[in-house]
Amino acid sequence: MFRMDGKVAVVTGGAKGIGRGMARVFAQAGARVAVLDLDEGAGQGVVEAIRKEGGEALFLRADVARLPDLQAAAGKVEAAFGGADILLANAGIYPQASLLTMEEADWERVMAVNLKGMFLAVKAFLPLLRRSRAGRIVLTSSITGPITGYPGWSHYGATKAGMLGFMRSAAIELAPYGITVNAVLPGNVATEGLGELSEDYRRKMEATIPLRRLGTPEEVAYAALFLASEEARYITGHALVVDGSQTLP
Ligand code: NAI
C-alpha cells in the first residue's frame, strides 16, 4: 500500500525543509525523485542522502518564478526518467512584512514564487503528467490564508488561499485526464525557512497546538504521499490539514 515503485516524482523547493522531507519519503516509497531548487549545494546533499538509502534521484537547479527554468527541468526529467507522474509544487517563501511598510516589490516577490511559481510548475510539467496513467499534483499550501491569519503574512496568506482557489478549478479541469489535484496545509513545521526558533517562541507555539508539538517535514510528506498514491485515486480537489489540530476552534 502507498508504494511509489515505477513512479517519478518532481518536488520543487526540494533542497530543504518540507520539500526535502517529501523527496526522501517519496524515494523511500520507491519513486525516482527530481529535486528542483535554487540551492544547488543543499539539493545535491538531498540527492546524495537518497542515493545512500538506495534510492534514485537527481538535482536540477530551477527558479519556480521562471518558466524557462522549469521547462528546461521538465526536459531533463523526461530525458533522465522518461516522464513524470507526480508534481509536488512545494517551493515557497514567507518573509514577514507589516502592512504599514509592505512595498509593492515585497508583495510581488511572494506572489511570483508562491502563486505564479506553482502555476508555472504545473504548466511546465503538465505535458509529462498527461502521459502518466495516474498523474498527481500536490500543492503545499498552509493553514495561514485558507484557515487562519498571522501578522506580517497578509501577502503570504493571499498566496496560500489563492493556491486552493487554483486547486479547485484545476481538479475539475484535469479530471478527464486522470490527474488529481490536492493540497496539504501544514501548520507549524520546524524547517530552515522558519529559522532558529527561540525556546520561548517554541513553547508559546506548542501551547496553541493540541498535539503539543510542532510538526516534522516527514509528517507533511506522508500526507502528500497518501494524496499522490494510487489508493487516493478517488480524492481530488481536497485540502488536507496537517497541523496537530492547531486550527480546531
Ligand atoms: P524552507 O525555506 O525550509 O525550504 C524551502 C525551499 O524552497 C528551499 O530549499 C529554497 O531554496 C527553495 N526555494 C525558495 N524559493 C525558490 C524558488 N524561487 N525556486 C525554487 N526553489 C525555491 O521552507 P519550508 O518551511 O520547508 O516551506 C516549504 C513550503 O511549505 C512553502 O511553500 C511554505 O510556504 C510551506 N509551509 C511551511 C510551513 C512551516 O511551518 N515551515 C507551514 C505551512 C506551509
Side-chain angles (χ1 to χ4, degrees), residues 31-110:
R32 288 175 290 165
V33 177
V35 175
L36 274 56
D37 206 288
L38 290 172
D39 187 334
E40 173 138 27
Q44 294 290 8
V46 175
V47 166
E48 274 162 38
I50 289 173
R51 289 184 183 149
K52 265 197 200 121
E53 291 174 355
E56 221 181 304
L58 84 116
F59 172 78
L60 296 165
R61 198 190 171 283
D63 180 347
V64 295
R66 288 175 36 84
L67 184 59
D69 281 16
L70 291 162
Q71 285 174 328
K76 287 178 185 158
V77 169
E78 186 178 17
F81 293 149
D85 306 283
I86 297 152
L87 171 65
L88 303 164
N90 164 80
I93 54 172
Y94 36 93
Q96 273 191 301
S98 155
L99 271 177
L100 300 179
T101 54
M102 190 188 292
E103 298 293 344
E104 196 176 349
D106 300 326
W107 175 271
E108 281 181 345
R109 184 64 193 154
V110 171

Side-chain angles (χ1 to χ4, degrees), residues 121-144:
V122 170
K123 183 172 174 56
F125 282 93
L126 199 49
L128 299 186
L129 297 178
R130 271 194 68 182
R131 286 193 350 230
S132 168
R133 248 189 343 97
R136 298 279 187 269
I137 298 171
V138 182
L139 313 173
T140 305
S141 174
S142 173
I143 57 171
T144 303

Side-chain angles (χ1 to χ4, degrees), residues 1 9 46 48 65 74 90 100 108 122-123 130 143 150 163 178-179 184 186 196-197 212 223 227-228 232 237-238 245:
M1 301 273 268
V46 175
E48 274 162 38
N90 164 80
L100 300 179
E108 281 181 345
V122 170
K123 183 172 174 56
R130 271 194 68 182
I143 57 171
Y150 202 83
M163 290 174 85
I179 299 172
V184 286
E196 279 300 310
L197 303 174
R212 287 289 178 269
L227 291 171
H238 185 75
S245 284

